[in-house]
Amino acid sequence: MIMALKDYVVRRTFIALPTLFAISVIVFTIIHAAPGDPFQFFLGFNPRVSMETIEFLREKYHLNDPIWVQYISWLKMLLSGNMGYSFITHRAVSDAIMIRVPNTVKLVLTAELIAILLAIPLGTISAVKEGGIVDNISRVISLLGVSMPSFWLGILLILLFAVRLNLLPTCGSHTTGMVYSSTWESIKDQIYHLILPAMTLGYLRTAYLTRLLRSSLLDVLSKDYIMTARMKGLKERVVIYKHALRNALLPFVTAIGLAFGFLLSGAVLIETVFAWPGMGRLIVDATFTRDYPVIMGTTMMTAVMVVLANLITDIVYAFLDPRITYD
Amino acid sequence: MDEEEKEVLFDIRNLKVYYYTLDGVVKAVDDVSLKIYKGETLSLVGESGCGKSTLSLSLCRLVQRPGKIVGGEILYKGSEDILKYDEKQIQQFRGSKVAIVFQDPTSSLNPVFRIGDQIVEAITIHQALKGKEAWKKSYEALSLVKIPSPEDMAHSYPHQYSAGMRQRAMIALALSCNPDLVIADEPTSNLDVTIQAQILLLLKELKEKLGTSILLVTHDLGVTAQLADRVAVMYAGKIVEIGPVEDFYKKPLHPYSKALLGAIPPPHKDVDMLQEIKGEVSSLVNPPEGCRFHPRCEHAMDICTKKDPELIDVGNGRKVACFLYKEGVMK
Ligand SMILES: Nc1ncnc2c1ncn2[C@@H]1O[C@H](COP(=O)(O)OP(=O)(O)OP(=O)(O)O)[C@@H](O)[C@H]1O
Ligand SMILES: [Mg+2]
């Protein structure tokens, strides 16, 4: 079992490599084909910077080379373990990413955790008591969640909790310049900052996951083996939480894993609204300034995270569903 | 087949089971009275949608929304009305007194649990057995239905079984708590012909070995002939004829039974014989007035369009719901 799992992970990693390669080629091509370059954007608005200076910089950073030459030198650098340096800040891209990734992961995982913890009971009760109060309330909540733009919800929450009630901070991942008297103080401050963005993202996910679990549970509840479970004389509680939920969670787990990419892109907006120092904002900022090395680095990092999430999903799925093996 | 001597296991009296749908109330079981004796195999036959499954599920009180048992009583061993049981009592009753083998063995076992787990689960709730002992009992159940090397197979998942093996496992599950009655709801109609024969043979052997009563729900009068002691014919939510199997095949009484038997296709021709009868199956939402079969009946009389015939005793343990017999037109 462990051996099979190890083989599986190795095999899947090899399968992922061509995908990652293709992503890098596509993204590299697109960003270089897009009009403008870092120096035009950064310096072009400044009348005191001459065209010659810009041209000099383009030459210096090899931006005038054919695109495939640029790509190959980027790839070589990456394979040697270097993600390059930001055109704008001159900091190592890997450093920037390493500072940002934990923040995004923290936000995304908290949001997903909130969503899972809410969606399992809500979805279950909605399905079991179809048409009941909980079902109707959760239907409204979900409909709002699915149709509401995330940034708008974020702004509403800021208005309510931060501006009106003055309960929670509106931006950042911690209070800047604050000196904490203890680790606990620091953690508390970070949690305060996390609540609003995680709630915003988590709410959207709750909406989706609740509906998903409800419908997959309804589907499972109409299956013959549920009748068999009842026929054996099992308590209804056991029928639902053991026999039905175990099966209904299969598509749920897939949805959680596959949604990771969606979550990361959702995080881009949320991070922007809440000025959350995560990968999302790094990508947005880098895109606006055409900071090629940063765009490439963050994109590849995101792709790796998505691939990893899918791999974990498949492993968990195979663990839950005996019909799937690691072959 | 002396009725008086046999112990009555279930006495169903005036049972009514309705489905409340948007199209109206579907009277799937409408005023059915029926006795099931200890040790007998009773075959319930009738066209698709006449309420056979609904009637069988009622015996475990497993009719699901929008269905509801709206009237009647089901007396178990002459005394207790299972319709009056509370939640806990009915759960103790299910599985230990009555068990059901469903039609489709590919979907009636939970795909994420091992076969053994699913049998052990039933054994632990109904018998004072746990752990190793319960597993041992599950091996016994599997070997009873002739599953090879049950110790290994118990640890396999349903998808590792063939369809025929799954139905065997389902039968093992049903028998694992020694119920008085096993309901087999079209147990072979989703299986290949050769596998069908094997499963039927198995049921026959088990019936002789264990003396369990069997309620065999089927479309297939050939299956009935092989296995059943008595036949009950259902039409549009009602029992129209019931009696010993030999008499039924020799001389069916109800015009519907005659049509059924007359419609049997030549052997091995794969036709749904019950579809052969002329006319539409009567609606269960707005059944025709009088006898429900009268629009399709060759012998329909005036009274048949007005009054609903009751089941009348015609001797030899036979009953029929038809005015031809009440009025003495036929004997
Ligand atoms: N869940 C349900 N909702 C509404 N109507 C139902 C439901 N289940 C069954 N019925 C109706 O009740 C009637 C009897 O159904 P039932 O399944 O008992 O028939 P059956 O004799 O077992 O048919 P088959 O041979 O096809 O299995 C049918 O007319 C069917 O349409
Ligand atoms: Mg049926």
Side-chain angles (χ1 to χ4, degrees):
Chain A
M1 183 73 182
I2 299 294
M3 273 312 284
L5 181 61
K6 211 173 126 197
D7 281 357
Y8 179 72
V9 172
V10 171
R11 218 160 352 107
R12 280 288 300 266
T13 311
F14 272 103
I15 295 172
L17 289 178
T19 315
L20 292 175
F21 176 72
I23 291 173
S24 73
V25 171
I26 293 169
V27 174
F28 201 91
T29 316
I30 290 176
I31 58 177
H32 283 80
D37 66 51
F39 307 110
Q40 270 175 4
F41 269 84
F42 208 58
L43 307 169
F45 303 112
N46 190 337
R48 271 178 294 183
V49 178
S50 69
M51 278 312 280
E52 285 74 48
T53 319
I54 290 177
E55 203 46 43
F56 168 77
L57 283 167
R58 287 179 62 87
E59 201 60 42
K60 182 175 171 209
Y61 286 98
H62 303 286
L63 292 184
N64 289 332
D65 293 355
I67 194 163
W68 59 272
V69 175
Q70 292 185 48
Y71 177 77
I72 287 175
S73 66
W74 174 81
L75 190 64
K76 265 193 192 147
M77 195 170 61
L78 183 72
L79 292 180
S80 71
N82 187 346
M83 294 173 102
Y85 300 89
S86 163
F87 285 162
I88 314 293
T89 63
H90 296 288
R91 279 175 58 187
V93 172
S94 51
D95 285 353
I97 288 178
M98 280 314 140
I99 294 171
R100 300 299 191 105
V101 164
N103 283 332
T104 293
V105 169
K106 195 162 78 181
L107 171 62
V108 164
L109 288 187
T110 311
E112 195 69 1
L113 195 69
I114 293 175
I116 292 170
L117 290 180
L118 287 174
I120 290 182
L122 276 179
T124 306
I125 298 171
S126 299
V128 173
K129 298 249 184 308
E130 196 189 353
I133 302 174
V134 176
D135 189 21
N136 282 320
I137 292 176
S138 93
R139 185 193 315 265
V140 173
I141 292 178
S142 297
L143 203 68
L144 283 174
V146 175
S147 50
M148 199 162 19
S150 57
F151 65 90
W152 189 67
L153 174 64
I155 291 168
L156 276 188
L157 288 179
I158 289 179
L159 280 177
L160 180 64
F161 287 99
V163 179
R164 271 288 153 88
L165 301 174
N166 202 14
L167 281 176
L168 294 164
T170 57
C171 64
S173 65
H174 57 273
T175 314
T176 30
M178 184 156 156
V179 183
Y180 300 110
S181 53
S182 66
T183 332
W184 169 236
E185 284 293 313
S186 155
I187 293 175
K188 215 167 77 180
D189 185 52
Q190 291 187 41
I191 290 177
Y192 275 147
H193 281 80
L194 186 58
I195 291 176
L196 280 184
M199 256 176 40
T200 311
L201 193 55
Y203 174 59
L204 305 174
R205 293 294 294 159
T206 308
Y208 174 68
L209 290 179
T210 302
R211 296 317 278 176
L212 183 86
L213 183 62
R214 176 186 181 274
S215 71
S216 94
L217 195 55
L218 277 178
D219 181 49
V220 168
L221 283 172
S222 70
K223 289 269 161 51
D224 285 355
Y225 55 78
I226 296 304
M227 211 54 147
T228 303
R230 290 198 176 110
M231 175 278 285
K232 289 198 283 194
L234 297 178
K235 295 192 182 76
E236 192 61 16
R237 193 163 36 90
V238 180
V239 172
I240 286 166
Y241 287 98
K242 184 174 170 191
H243 286 260
L245 202 55
R246 176 69 195 276
N247 282 282
L249 282 179
L250 293 176
F252 192 74
V253 165
T254 314
I256 292 171
L258 296 185
F260 202 73
F262 165 85
L263 263 176
L264 288 175
S265 63
V268 171
L269 278 175
I270 304 287
E271 286 178 3
T272 310
V273 171
F274 290 96
W276 184 260
M279 285 266 287
R281 269 188 60 219
L282 193 60
I283 296 179
V284 172
D285 294 346
T287 309
F288 281 137
T289 53
R290 298 288 188 273
D291 194 347
Y292 298 146
V294 177
I295 300 179
M296 284 311 291
T298 47
T299 314
M300 292 320 291
M301 190 65 207
T302 310
V304 168
M305 278 160 68
V306 170
V307 166
L308 207 64
N310 286 355
L311 178 63
I312 294 172
T313 310
D314 286 347
I315 292 172
V316 173
Y317 195 102
F319 185 71
L320 288 176
D321 189 345
R323 286 163 294 188
I324 311 290
T325 53
Y326 303 117
D327 295 323
Chain B
M1 289 296 133
D2 197 353
E3 277 199 39
E4 306 308 316
E5 282 172 25
K6 294 182 101 183
E7 192 186 329
V8 177
L9 196 59
F10 280 97
D11 189 356
I12 304 168
R13 293 184 182 169
N14 308 99
L15 185 70
K16 290 182 181 168
V17 188
Y18 296 170
Y19 290 96
Y20 294 87
T21 70
L22 291 176
D23 299 329
V25 181
V26 180
K27 296 176 181 169
V29 172
D30 200 9
D31 206 0
V32 162
S33 296
L34 183 71
K35 285 192 177 81
I36 300 175
Y37 297 100
K38 198 162 188 279
E40 78 163 343
T41 298
L42 173 65
S43 179
L44 189 60
V45 297
E47 279 161 301
S48 184
C50 68
K52 305 182 296 292
S53 297
T54 307
L55 178 57
S56 352
L57 288 174
S58 311
L59 287 170
C60 262
R61 263 178 51 191
L62 275 175
V63 178
Q64 303 293 309
R65 279 189 313 175
K68 204 170 173 244
I69 299 177
V70 291
E73 37 193 26
I74 300 178
L75 302 181
Y76 172 63
K77 290 197 167 160
S79 52
E80 295 166 68
D81 182 0
I82 68 159
L83 300 185
K84 295 212 172 73
Y85 279 173
D86 62 25
E87 195 61 20
K88 205 164 171 186
Q89 285 173 307
I90 195 70
Q91 278 162 2
Q92 276 163 4
F93 173 85
R94 288 178 190 147
S96 68
K97 309 292 185 219
V98 180
I100 307 180
V101 174
F102 296 103
Q103 176 173 356
D104 184 2
T106 54
S107 62
S108 53
L109 290 160
N110 196 324
V112 303
F113 297 114
R114 294 176 299 180
I115 298 284
D117 289 321
Q118 301 189 44
I119 298 177
V120 164
E121 198 180 26
I123 292 172
T124 35
I125 49 175
H126 291 304
Q127 296 171 342
L129 293 177
K130 271 202 197 102
K132 274 219 171 72
E133 281 178 64
W135 275 92
K136 232 179 112 197
K137 189 94 201 295
S138 81
Y139 302 149
E140 283 166 22
L142 289 173
S143 75
L144 187 68
V145 297
K146 303 206 175 100
I147 287 195
S149 51
E151 271 96 345
D152 297 331
M153 291 306 275
H155 296 272
S156 301
Y157 289 94
H159 72 275
Q160 293 163 317
Y161 279 56
S162 67
M165 292 289 251
R166 276 184 229 181
Q167 197 60 309
R168 282 172 193 269
M170 191 63 212
I171 295 171
L173 170 63
L175 291 171
S176 62
C177 297
N178 316 317
D180 297 317
L181 173 69
V182 170
I183 299 171
D185 192 346
E186 306 194 29
T188 59
S189 49
N190 272 31
L191 300 171
D192 293 344
V193 182
T194 44
I195 313 283
Q196 273 186 16
Q198 290 171 13
I199 297 288
L200 290 175
L201 189 68
L202 176 70
L203 282 176
K204 204 166 175 173
E205 285 174 19
L206 290 175
K207 160 194 157 184
E208 276 150 23
K209 200 161 165 184
L210 306 173
T212 314
S213 306
I214 298 177
L215 178 63
L216 181 69
V217 177
T218 179
H219 275 115
D220 189 335
L221 287 169
V223 171
T224 303
Q226 278 184 50
L227 280 178
D229 301 315
R230 288 197 305 148
V231 187
V233 181
M234 212 171 165
Y235 185 80
K238 288 191 174 284
I239 302 281
V240 294
E241 173 168 358
I242 184 165
V245 74
E246 305 85 19
D247 299 344
F248 176 78
Y249 280 90
K250 241 183 264 163
K251 185 175 177 261
L253 298 175
H254 198 280
Y256 177 60
S257 313
K258 288 180 185 166
L260 280 185
L261 280 168
I264 292 187
H268 309 304
K269 216 173 139 195
D270 204 14
V271 193
D272 191 347
M273 61 198 72
L274 302 190
Q275 302 298 320
E276 301 278 300
I277 303 170
K278 283 199 194 72
E280 292 245 334
V281 184
S282 108
S283 148
L284 292 179
V285 180
N286 291 307
E289 202 149 329
C291 171
R292 290 177 185 186
F293 188 60
H294 87 256
R296 295 166 81 185
C297 182
E298 292 174 12
H299 309 280
M301 304 178 292
D302 226 17
I303 184 166
C304 303
T305 63
K306 294 188 186 98
K307 274 182 75 181
D308 199 4
E310 281 169 30
L311 263 183
I312 53 166
D313 209 322
V314 292
N316 273 339
R318 304 187 77 177
K319 285 180 184 172
V320 62
C322 178
F323 288 113
L324 294 170
Y325 296 88
K326 192 165 188 203
E327 309 282 309
V329 180
M330 278 194 191
K331 281 221 171 68

